[in-house]
Amino acid sequence: MMLEQTLCQWIEADPLRMRALHIAADLDLPDWCIAAGFVRNLAWDKLHGFAQPTPLADIDLVYFDPFQVGPVRDRELEAHLATVDASLPWSVHNQARMHERNGDAPYEDTLDAMRHWVEIETAVGVRLNVRREVEIVSAFGLDSLFAKKLTPNPRRRRLAEFSARLNRKNWLWTWPELQVETAPQSS
């Protein structure tokens, strides 16, 4: 619980992240959160002692709506978000259809979808609850994120995909204290 409180405090102290969370909450999407680098990068920045947050390549807004699964809805949401705040690089994905892209069985909800993401530390999200309080959504807990690890998801078993992302995203260059786990941890 202490790690979750710390992460919530870091998010609450970040004006950009709070602005993005309020904008996303106003959409009233089902089972939503902002995840991946939005949370992971902030944690790694803080743990590395960075004075300024690393710029975000995108803001991954994920939700679960089994009634509107087509990608058109996601593009409409991105267009709307761009009119609300064009400075934020939104990327919207309904997790109710992402199992098809990933070759998985259908996901039950957003958290279940996150259990299939490539890295354990990426499968952390944040949202505002009905009281507009910061709430963490985590598929694997926060221990490895706070331990500055980068761990392939044991459910994916695609180490080539993990390695490709590690190289493409330059995580070790940006956060040199990260420890890469070479074998997936059991879940």
Side-chain angles (χ1 to χ4, degrees), residues 5-148:
Q5 290 172 337
T6 299
L7 187 55
C8 286
Q9 289 170 352
W10 289 344
I11 291 165
E12 290 165 352
D14 187 301
L16 180 141
R17 283 171 171 81
M18 288 305 295
R19 184 170 77 243
L21 283 167
H22 282 281
I23 291 169
D26 288 344
L27 295 174
D28 199 28
L29 293 170
D31 192 17
W32 72 276
C33 67
I34 303 178
F38 187 83
V39 178
R40 180 200 60 224
N41 294 7
L42 177 65
W44 287 346
D45 286 347
K46 293 290 187 181
L47 294 167
H48 277 74
F50 294 176
Q52 295 296 317
T54 303
L56 292 168
D58 57 17
I59 296 176
D60 293 296
L61 173 58
V62 297
Y63 67 103
F64 195 89
D65 184 353
F67 302 108
Q68 294 188 34
V69 295
V72 171
R73 176 70 175 140
D74 293 348
R75 301 301 71 82
E76 290 170 351
L77 288 165
E78 287 175 353
H80 170 74
L81 289 165
T83 66
V84 175
D85 189 335
S87 71
L88 299 177
W90 295 101
S91 176
V92 180
H93 293 284
N94 183 354
Q95 300 300 290
R97 76 164 188 284
M98 299 311 290
H99 68 283
E100 295 169 352
R101 180 191 76 177
N102 297 330
D104 297 328
Y107 304 139
E108 296 175 16
D109 53 27
T110 297
L111 186 61
D112 185 41
M114 291 169 71
R115 288 184 185 109
H116 294 84
W117 290 5
V118 178
E119 310 87 25
I120 287 173
E121 297 77 17
T122 297
V124 179
V126 63
R127 62 180 159 222
L128 298 180
N129 64 22
V130 294
R131 294 180 305 278
R132 293 287 174 134
E133 299 165 336
V134 173
E135 180 178 280
I136 303 298
V137 179
S138 177
F140 300 100
L142 301 176
D143 290 343
S144 65
L145 178 67
F146 274 78
K148 295 187 270 188

